[in-house]
Amino acid sequence: QVQLVESGGGLVQAGGSLRLSCAASGRPYRMGWFRQAPGKEREFVAAVTWSNSNTYYADSVKGRFTVSRDNSKNTGYLQMNSLEPEDTAVYYCAVALRVNLMSVLLPRAYEFWGQGTQVTVSA
């Protein structure tokens, strides 16, 4: 079982920044980031493929968020800048261990999930 430990959430004012971390107990093939606000559907945010560092972003965060990974630590990061109240949600990291042909946007493309970390952006 691959364990994912998330950290870095918190409360910030609009325009501020946070960096989320996701430490995995094994090397991912791909790490994705999703978020879910109360009463809302789970939403894709960003993803990174481990071997080549290819990145993918939802239109809503493109230009504001940056996803990256540290090979030596099996740890992924989501740098969030210019935060807006609409970014308020529980953020989850997720890992796929194997190459697959499913879209990076789909939750079912990932096998293991972190515990989630709350991000709150005040107006």
Side-chain angles (χ1 to χ4, degrees), residues 17-28:
S17 298
L18 286 173
R19 189 177 77 158
L20 306 184
S21 298
C22 180
S25 61
R27 175 185 161 97

Side-chain angles (χ1 to χ4, degrees), residues 38-89:
K40 301 294 184 180
E41 187 176 347
R42 183 168 45 182
E43 176 188 20
F44 172 79
V45 176
V48 59
T49 301
W50 223 255
S51 60
N52 58 16
S53 199
N54 282 352
T55 57
Y56 311 84
Y57 297 96
D59 288 342
S60 60
V61 306
K62 196 172 299 180
R64 300 188 296 121
F65 291 11
T66 303
V67 65
S68 61
R69 88 293 188 255
D70 185 333
N71 284 328
S72 66
K73 299 178 181 178
N74 286 338
T75 298
Y77 304 95
L78 184 67
Q79 178 68 47
M80 304 184 295
N81 299 327
S82 301
L83 283 162
E84 305 166 354
E86 293 76 15
D87 297 315
T88 295

Side-chain angles (χ1 to χ4, degrees), residues 73-123:
K73 299 178 181 178
N74 286 338
T75 298
Y77 304 95
L78 184 67
Q79 178 68 47
M80 304 184 295
N81 299 327
S82 301
L83 283 162
E84 305 166 354
E86 293 76 15
D87 297 315
T88 295
V90 176
Y91 283 70
Y92 299 91
C93 62
V95 161
L97 294 180
R98 308 169 188 87
V99 174
N100 65 71
L101 299 178
M102 288 181 277
S103 170
V104 300
L105 287 73
L106 298 176
R108 64 187 180 93
Y110 305 88
E111 297 106 61
F112 302 98
W113 292 79
Q115 82 279 7
T117 185
Q118 176 70 229
V119 171
T120 303
V121 184
S122 62

